[in-house]
Amino acid sequence: MSSRVTSQIRSTSATCSGCGGESFSVVATGRDYIYHGTEDTFRYVRCGSCGHFYLNPRPDISQLSLMYPANYGTFSNRFQGRANILGRIKTIVNRKRLKGVVARLPLRGRVLDVGCGNGELLIALRQARPDLELFGLDWHFPAETRSALETQGITMIEAPLEAAELPVQPFDLIIMLQLIEHLWEPEESLRRLVRGLAKDGRILIETPNTDGWDRRLFADGAWGGYYFPRHLNLYNFERLAELLRRVGLAVESQRNLPAPLIWVYSLQGVVQASFGWKSFLTTLFGVKNLPLVAAFALLDSAAIAMGFMTSNQQTISKKA
């Protein structure tokens, strides 16, 4: 955890990425409760025309290094499978969620993981399907990550998705785990990815769900799904499906997923808003508290079984 606050993040006003509308109502306000990279207060708004949730004002794309510091989770060993049990659990869960769609990939199929972070998922895919051609895209690859992926024969594309040059040969599967919410231009970015899909290729997206039952419990802005200031756009089932249809994708399935980390981040936000980020409670309600994470995973699993919406969703769509 950072011990000091960095400079102010340069932000600009935003319009709705769903419909271009300019009218909105404020949904929540909050700070960077996780990395404390700035003292700025941010606000989430809801479009008055289409209901889309987005950060407004939002950081300029030039502020990436302030939004994602060196100790950011997927750049560091915070969730790395070889470093701790939480990372191993995370990798196992992700592999299980992807098992069905990966099983349908052709021999020597091509897979792109957008926002691949430390590459743990790609390395797990390499072990499960050695025949696959694997690519990872992220705006920054630390030296340790670069070395690990090169060793596994995984091709890296180092650039923000909005500016990345994708290979000419199409992909059979594009994975976006907790990524679309970080994009400045989600629709244009998806259009670029669709152009890079093979015929009958699929895109698998996991992202927070604004219809999650727990969001209402943290209405003052502490809900972990806001993840100030890194989450720029948020969706529910309907708004995400509409976006995918607009870019030429047919939705095959949508389902709720447990969201234990969002619960943990929500509690951290509540604690820090009340007692400050140096409170011992911040550590107590941290992601390394495995019993707490497990308890929230079970709670959300029970909620899903009873028909409730959770704060995490998965959508699989196919090139139309």
Side-chain angles (χ1 to χ4, degrees):
M1 183 176 292
S2 174
S3 60
R4 66 183 180 89
V5 173
T6 64
S7 59
Q8 184 179 34
I9 289 181
R10 184 166 64 251
S11 298
T12 56
S13 296
T15 56
C16 175
S17 66
C19 69
E22 298 183 359
S23 65
F24 61 82
S25 58
V26 177
V27 175
T29 59
R31 293 185 174 186
D32 183 356
Y33 297 122
I34 309 303
Y35 293 99
H36 317 103
T38 176
E39 290 182 332
D40 295 347
T41 296
F42 301 90
R43 67 180 185 185
Y44 240 92
V45 304
R46 183 172 186 171
C47 177
S49 299
C50 71
H52 179 59
F53 282 59
Y54 62 102
L55 194 67
N56 185 24
R58 68 183 184 185
D60 187 87
I61 197 169
S62 65
Q63 305 295 288
L64 278 170
S65 61
L66 292 178
M67 297 169 66
Y68 301 93
N71 64 332
Y72 184 67
T74 56
F75 292 160
S76 67
N77 65 0
R78 187 181 186 189
F79 298 116
Q80 203 159 10
R82 295 175 184 174
N84 57 63
I85 190 171
L86 180 60
R88 290 194 291 273
I89 293 171
K90 181 173 178 283
T91 299
I92 291 170
V93 169
N94 284 336
R95 285 181 62 175
K96 183 178 180 181
R97 289 175 180 172
L98 270 62
K99 184 176 180 181
V101 69
V102 169
R104 289 183 284 180
L105 288 172
L107 187 66
R108 293 184 292 278
R110 291 164 56 86
V111 179
L112 171 65
D113 184 1
V114 183
C116 64
N118 60 24
E120 284 288 306
L121 179 61
L122 287 168
I123 292 172
L125 288 177
R126 168 65 73 226
Q127 295 167 353
R129 288 282 305 270
D131 63 292
L132 297 176
E133 291 187 62
L134 301 177
F135 297 76
L137 186 155
D138 218 310
W139 77 274
H140 172 61
F141 288 101
E144 183 179 356
T145 297
R146 181 173 292 279
S147 176
L149 295 183
E150 287 176 347
T151 299
Q152 295 290 329
I154 297 169
T155 302
M156 286 162 283
I157 304 171
E158 188 171 43
L161 175 56
E162 291 87 347
E165 293 187 14
L166 301 180
V168 175
Q169 190 174 349
F171 295 101
D172 299 288
L173 174 64
I174 295 176
I175 301 167
M176 303 174 71
L177 302 187
Q178 309 304 322
L179 184 281
I180 193 171
E181 64 273 11
H182 293 259
L183 298 178
W184 275 263
E185 302 296 338
E187 184 165 339
E188 179 55 33
S189 296
L190 279 173
R191 290 187 188 279
R192 296 186 71 229
L193 292 177
V194 170
R195 289 194 292 270
L197 269 183
K199 181 182 178 182
D200 295 331
R202 290 176 171 83
I203 293 183
L204 185 150
I205 294 174
E206 292 182 7
T207 187
N209 186 350
T210 56
D211 285 344
W213 70 279
D214 54 297
R215 187 176 72 85
R216 296 186 293 272
L217 302 177
F218 304 98
D220 59 352
W223 181 57
Y226 294 130
Y227 205 48
F228 301 110
R230 287 161 287 273
H231 286 181
L232 309 180
N233 294 277
L234 291 171
Y235 303 88
N236 61 5
F237 277 11
E238 292 74 21
R239 295 195 306 275
L240 181 57
E242 175 57 29
L243 171 61
L244 296 173
R245 283 191 287 269
R246 287 203 305 269
V247 302
L249 293 165
V251 173
E252 290 189 322
S253 66
Q254 288 186 294
R255 61 171 175 151
N256 290 287
L257 299 173
L261 293 186
I262 287 183
W263 274 102
V264 171
Y265 291 153
S266 298
L267 291 180
Q268 285 187 345
V270 169
V271 168
Q272 292 176 46
S274 301
F275 305 106
W277 68 270
K278 292 185 178 181
S279 169
F280 80 97
L281 291 174
T282 299
T283 302
L284 178 63
F285 295 129
V287 295
K288 293 184 178 181
N289 185 335
L290 294 184
L292 185 67
V293 172
F296 283 130
L298 290 173
L299 178 63
D300 267 355
S301 296
I304 292 170
M306 292 186 291
F308 289 93
M309 289 281 185
T310 62
S311 288
N312 194 15
Q313 60 177 310
Q314 181 193 84
T315 296
I316 299 175
S317 55
K318 186 177 181 179
K319 192 169 184 178

